[in-house]
Amino acid sequence: MSATVGVLALQGDVPEHRDLLVRVPGIGSVLEVRTPEHLERVGALFLPGGESTTVSRLLDEFQLREPLLRRLREGLPAFATCAGLITLAKEIEPSPHGRDPSPLGILDVRVRRNDYGRQVDSFELPLRFPGLGEAEFLAVFIRAPRILRTGPRVEVLATDGKSPVAVREGRIWGLTFHPELAGDIRLHRWFLESTGVLPSAPGVAGASPRAG
Amino acid sequence: MTELATPRVGTERLKRGFARMQQGGVIMDVTTAEQASIAEAAGAVAVMALERVPADIRAAGGVARMADPLKVREIMDRVSIPVMAKCRIGHTAEARILESMGVDMIDESEVLTPADPFHHVDKKLFQVPFVCGARDLGEALRRIAEGAAMIRTKGEAGTGNVVEAVRHLRQIQSQIDSLANMTPARLSEFARETRVPLELVEEVRTLKRLPVVNFAAGGIATPADAALCRLLGADGVFVGSGIFKAQNPAKVASAIVEASLHYTDAALLARVSSGLGEPMRGIEISTIPPGELLQVRE
């Protein structure tokens, strides 16, 4: 049995997620999701990095907002990075200037966009995750949002020493960084195993604590 | 809790990664904070802050330089999307000024008057990422070797004529395709001829594409132009004079954003192309005196 997973392909680093996912054992196909019909065919959805204001506008323009929200409420596992996390967040702290996207409000976090600074302040930081053992994971933060608050049902998987940078609430995961830019499949795989999209392989990521 | 390592900044991965986040999107030239707001509302992934759009640079003549930092700052203070700005080719001081202001990406651009007849900016020394124009594979790889994190076609800026952008997209792609059949000896000959490190040429042969994102730029004026460039493999588009030289900038801007996403959907392209008003008038390339072509500046 092999799984079909999707990458929300409105704008952003879609190819990087796709190239990583095709390397995950057990993935049958990776579908670029642009329409409500595509959404019905996937067993998990990856929301890439990109510009959250652009993505928010395109969700409305192409009537994807309601179908996406419905699928997520039905329990579609979702893995959201950076702009993807902003798209799923419950609350966005208003930016001092410019427009803010309208989030879906499905992940109980409050975020502030670009809170680590502009592109010159973007950074890489090796992190440890409970589910990944001793080996570090290189987290790539690009104009990253900061998670300011997490709801009671949200589990923090990793922090930058101060703020959460990876969280999950049930089958929805949100990261402020870009695992797809590090060429490391372990977080994608751990997510797919812990949400039951892929069977857990003993001794690897899937042996971690179960999703809340 | 385990001690966290020190964060690293300005790496190649971060610079190229920033450019990857722009994929599928439209980057729009703006000359005022008001235009920047219109671009942001229309769904631009970033704006390029300029003193004048290329069509006006072309008309004005004289020396075209980096925009007034005050103007760039006003635009940065108005929008939440990334702000890019142009420096002259080889003008390290302009680039340092823009970097110090926190501009998100610098376009080392042939649209401005070149400042250094011998060298481009040594982009590896900067923390901010750069985008550079290219007409062919050799030019693209020279810029990447210097540290460019993103490539765009040069096209012929300020003309509203897409033919040169198409030429450059096709040229780069056909040269990438031809690498596949080259013997090792021919491959190193190509690297020597184009003055590019052999490893970079080998990497492109393996990837079958550039190792950084490649956008179309220079002459894109309509949603259909943007779709054409995307069909030819561009990872996204820059639109310069095409938006704010059109009769209805907000409408043209959002139509181009939609066309860049659904570029294979002809019915959608018909819908978004409808009733946009007068586009920029445009210039036939053969009527431009050779000395006034911007693309030949390297």
Side-chain angles (χ1 to χ4, degrees):
Chain A
M1 200 197 80
S2 63
T4 296
V5 299
V7 182
L8 185 67
L10 296 179
Q11 189 276 318
D13 71 334
V14 178
E16 287 68 22
H17 276 280
R18 186 193 57 216
D19 293 350
L20 208 68
L21 285 165
V22 297
R23 288 169 43 209
V24 176
I27 298 284
S29 61
V30 182
L31 187 69
E32 294 193 358
V33 172
R34 293 194 181 84
T35 66
E37 298 73 59
H38 294 156
L39 212 45
E40 297 304 319
R41 287 158 51 192
V42 299
L45 184 68
F46 291 78
L47 291 89
E51 262 314 306
S52 54
T53 49
T54 307
V55 170
S56 173
R57 191 178 177 285
L58 292 170
L59 278 175
D60 292 326
E61 201 63 50
F62 297 107
Q63 281 97 44
L64 270 166
R65 185 178 292 272
E66 285 311 312
L68 177 55
L69 200 51
R70 181 178 54 75
R71 288 286 280 137
L72 293 171
R73 286 195 178 124
E74 287 168 2
L76 177 72
F79 184 93
T81 60
C82 197
L85 163 69
I86 296 167
T87 303
L88 298 188
K90 187 167 184 187
E91 295 164 6
I92 298 176
E93 181 112 327
S95 297
H97 42 72
R99 290 169 72 88
D100 284 307
S102 329
L104 291 169
I106 192 101
L107 176 61
D108 191 6
V109 294
R110 182 176 179 85
V111 297
R112 191 190 287 135
R113 297 168 61 217
N114 312 134
D115 197 55
Y116 294 85
R118 301 191 71 99
Q119 170 58 17
V120 286
D121 307 306
S122 291
F123 62 99
E124 299 176 357
L125 187 66
L127 294 177
R128 285 207 166 81
F129 285 85
L132 302 181
E134 281 304 296
E136 289 178 330
F137 193 99
L138 184 68
V140 181
F141 294 84
I142 295 184
R143 285 173 50 98
R146 190 188 299 275
I147 297 176
L148 302 173
R149 182 193 65 71
T150 56
R153 290 198 312 277
V154 174
E155 180 190 358
V156 175
L157 299 172
T159 75
D160 60 10
K162 185 177 157 202
S163 310
V165 296
V167 300
R168 66 179 168 195
E169 182 177 4
R171 293 151 81 82
I172 297 181
W173 292 38
L175 281 59
T176 61
F177 60 94
H178 296 281
E180 73 279 11
L181 290 183
D184 188 335
I185 66 169
R186 288 177 298 155
L187 279 177
H188 284 65
R189 187 175 184 176
W190 178 24
F191 159 74
L192 289 166
E193 290 178 353
S194 73
T195 52
V197 179
L198 292 178
S200 299
V204 292
S208 61
R210 293 170 59 87
Chain B
M1 176 170 250
T2 6
E3 196 64 26
L4 287 172
T6 320
R8 290 197 304 159
V9 296
T11 65
E12 208 58 52
R13 192 198 311 269
L14 288 164
K15 294 176 182 176
R16 292 181 178 188
F18 168 77
R20 293 186 197 288
M21 298 308 146
Q22 311 284 310
Q23 284 175 102
V26 181
I27 300 166
M28 302 182 190
D29 278 2
V30 298
T31 58
T32 63
E34 196 45 50
Q35 289 183 353
S37 283
I38 294 171
E40 183 177 52
V45 289
V47 291
M48 178 75 68
L50 286 165
E51 197 73 42
R52 298 190 187 118
V53 293
D56 291 336
I57 290 175
R58 195 175 274 289
V63 174
R65 310 179 177 90
M66 171 186 81
D68 184 335
L70 183 68
K71 176 162 280 179
V72 178
R73 170 62 59 195
E74 282 170 9
I75 291 167
M76 288 168 69
D77 287 344
R78 183 67 75 90
V79 294
S80 67
I81 56 177
V83 176
M84 305 183 179
K86 290 182 193 283
C87 76
R88 285 180 263 177
I89 289 174
H91 208 313
T92 304
E94 284 186 350
R96 284 294 182 200
I97 291 168
L98 294 171
E99 180 182 52
S100 78
M101 296 174 61
V103 159
D104 294 293
M105 181 173 246
I106 297 175
D107 184 359
E108 188 183 19
S109 177
E110 72 284 357
V111 170
L112 305 183
T113 310
D116 187 327
F118 307 110
H119 296 289
H120 278 64
V121 171
D122 190 352
K123 296 170 273 292
K124 290 211 155 119
L125 300 178
F126 284 72
Q127 201 165 311
V128 66
F130 280 77
V131 54
C132 287
R135 286 163 298 172
D136 56 37
L137 183 59
E139 198 174 5
L141 296 183
R142 283 193 292 282
R143 299 294 88 79
I144 293 168
E146 291 159 2
M150 180 178 191
I151 293 295
R152 55 168 177 77
T153 62
K154 285 181 161 176
E156 188 59 34
T159 61
N161 189 339
V162 77
V163 66
E164 296 302 299
V166 168
R167 186 194 310 280
H168 301 157
L169 281 172
R170 284 201 181 279
Q171 177 67 19
I172 290 171
Q173 192 55 53
S174 73
Q175 286 179 293
I176 291 174
D177 293 344
S178 73
L179 295 180
N181 302 320
M182 287 186 189
T183 61
R186 179 69 194 99
L187 211 60
S188 57
E189 206 175 290
F190 178 82
R192 268 199 315 280
E193 283 165 11
T194 52
R195 293 169 282 134
V196 169
L198 178 60
E199 308 78 71
L200 190 50
V201 177
E202 286 169 340
E203 187 187 1
V204 171
R205 177 157 86 156
T206 308
L207 293 173
K208 298 187 174 67
R209 59 155 296 144
L210 294 178
V212 301
V213 296
N214 182 23
F215 272 41
I220 294 155
T222 67
D225 288 349
L228 174 64
C229 293
R230 297 276 282 134
L231 286 169
L232 291 170
D235 297 314
V237 296
F238 284 86
V239 186
S241 322
I243 291 172
F244 291 100
K245 283 285 161 190
Q247 206 177 19
N248 191 340
K251 213 168 161 188
V252 171
S254 65
I256 292 180
V257 169
E258 287 162 37
S260 176
L261 168 62
H262 283 280
Y263 57 93
T264 57
D265 184 342
L268 177 127
L269 294 174
R271 178 167 65 74
V272 303
S273 300
S274 300
L276 292 181
E278 192 72 14
M280 70 180 286
R281 184 160 181 282
I283 304 172
E284 158 56 32
I285 305 297
S286 62
T287 65
I288 304 173
E292 292 176 18
L293 285 174
L294 301 176
Q295 60 178 284
V296 298
R297 295 169 166 176
E298 189 189 345

